[in-house]
Amino acid sequence: TGAVIRDIYNVTKRKNPNTELIVYPAKVQGINAENEIVDGLKYFENTDVDIVIVARGGGSFEDLTPFNTEKVVRAVFECKKPIITGVGHETDFSLIDFVADMRAPTPSVAAELAVFDFYAETNNIANTITRIENAIAALIMAKKNQVVSVAGYAVNAMEKLSLNQKIKLSDLLKTIEKSFDANFAKEKSKLDLLSLRLSKANPLELLKQGYSRTYKDGEVIKSVKSVRAGETIETKLIDGTIISEVKSIKE
């Protein structure tokens, strides 16, 4: 219920809105805190989550005591799921930091390390497609220049041929040129079609066209039957998120 959960949620959704977050409610200080933390680790071992983040906000050395107990340290060490710790501030160290798979200086950084950057990778794919298109265009132009060069040599050679030979060679060159132009147009058409398919498959392009994705509790809403009046939903657009309350539902 603390600010740490909101920080992790905001970072996660900013990097990848498709990520599902599962929060286990556990005390992070005080009586029975260490037992609840251990119970949470055991719970996630029996789920299909990819990564577990053990985190809490800053506090005094005494506040961080549960993360220094033998019971919690052993539970982190023995956990079969990858664990990132983000306990306290950057200068705070706990014993679980030394047995976890990775330590983050803060809970927000733990989320940064855990989540795949969807938008960065989408941009990388788009840039790669552009580089491939440019490379193919340059290769085609180079080959065409080679053909033109060869044709120039052929023209010079024609001057030394008889009239009948010149006519035959001229017809052959025209046939070669038509064949090249036809193949060029065919391959360019294939490339344009492939680029169009890749562009349509880009999730960001769909959002730019006015489409959106709506979530409830971090999951995509696929049917009106999965929401009820009074519940809060989030709608992801290309330039931000709209948080709404469901007033009524029509099927």
Side-chain angles (χ1 to χ4, degrees):
T1 59
V4 167
I5 298 300
R6 180 53 52 184
D7 290 343
I8 292 177
Y9 179 86
N10 290 337
V11 171
T12 299
K13 294 302 179 180
R14 172 175 55 79
K15 293 191 69 178
N16 187 350
N18 303 305
T19 301
E20 179 183 6
L21 289 174
I22 300 176
V23 180
Y24 187 91
K27 292 181 180 179
V28 291
Q29 70 182 66
I31 299 174
N32 205 39
E34 64 175 334
N35 292 327
E36 293 191 15
I37 295 171
V38 171
D39 290 342
L41 292 171
K42 291 180 180 179
Y43 169 81
F44 284 121
E45 278 198 311
N46 298 318
T47 66
D48 60 351
V49 297
D50 299 305
I51 294 176
V52 177
I53 296 177
V54 180
R56 67 151 286 162
S60 65
F61 178 80
E62 290 75 15
D63 292 337
L64 305 182
T65 297
F67 302 95
N68 291 314
T69 62
E70 180 179 354
K71 188 172 184 178
V72 174
V73 171
R74 287 189 178 276
V76 171
F77 178 76
E78 294 170 357
C79 185
K80 298 177 182 178
K81 298 288 184 179
I83 293 182
I84 300 178
T85 57
V87 178
H89 299 300
E90 188 169 354
T91 56
D92 294 323
F93 278 87
S94 300
L95 290 181
I96 64 169
D97 293 333
F98 300 97
V99 294
D101 296 277
M102 181 175 290
R103 173 195 179 265
T106 64
S108 296
V109 175
E112 290 278 359
L113 295 171
V115 180
F116 170 77
D117 197 329
F118 171 80
Y119 295 107
E121 192 59 30
T122 301
N123 290 331
N124 287 338
I125 293 173
N127 292 335
T128 300
I129 293 172
T130 300
R131 289 197 298 271
I132 291 174
E133 291 175 344
N134 293 338
I136 292 175
L139 180 61
I140 292 174
M141 184 57 65
K143 295 298 181 182
K144 188 170 184 178
N145 290 336
Q146 289 179 6
V147 172
V148 172
S149 178
V150 171
Y153 288 121
V155 170
N156 293 331
M158 285 179 62
E159 296 178 356
K160 302 177 182 180
L161 301 176
S162 63
L163 179 59
N164 188 45
Q165 290 175 319
K166 289 180 180 180
I167 293 174
K168 290 182 179 181
L169 185 56
S170 178
D171 291 341
L172 178 61
L173 289 175
K174 289 180 181 179
T175 301
I176 293 174
E177 184 177 359
K178 289 181 180 179
S179 177
F180 177 84
D181 289 340
N183 288 332
F184 177 81
K186 181 179 179 180
E187 295 302 321
K188 187 176 184 301
S189 177
K190 290 181 180 179
L191 180 61
D192 291 341
L193 181 60
L194 177 60
S195 298
L196 180 61
R197 289 178 178 175
L198 289 172
S199 177
K200 289 183 177 180
N202 188 337
L204 291 181
E205 290 299 323
L206 292 176
L207 294 181
K208 290 179 181 177
Q209 296 174 18
Y211 291 93
S212 63
R213 301 188 73 176
T214 304
Y215 302 84
K216 186 186 81 171
D217 298 330
E219 296 186 0
V220 176
I221 298 174
K222 299 179 180 179
S223 170
V224 295
K225 296 180 181 179
S226 61
V227 295
R228 296 179 180 177
E231 291 184 328
T232 300
I233 59 176
E234 297 184 4
T235 302
K236 181 68 178 181
L237 301 167
I238 185 63
D239 58 351
T241 301
I242 299 173
I243 300 178
S244 312
E245 180 180 338
V246 179
K247 295 296 185 181
S248 62
I249 299 173
K250 295 181 179 181
E251 297 186 13

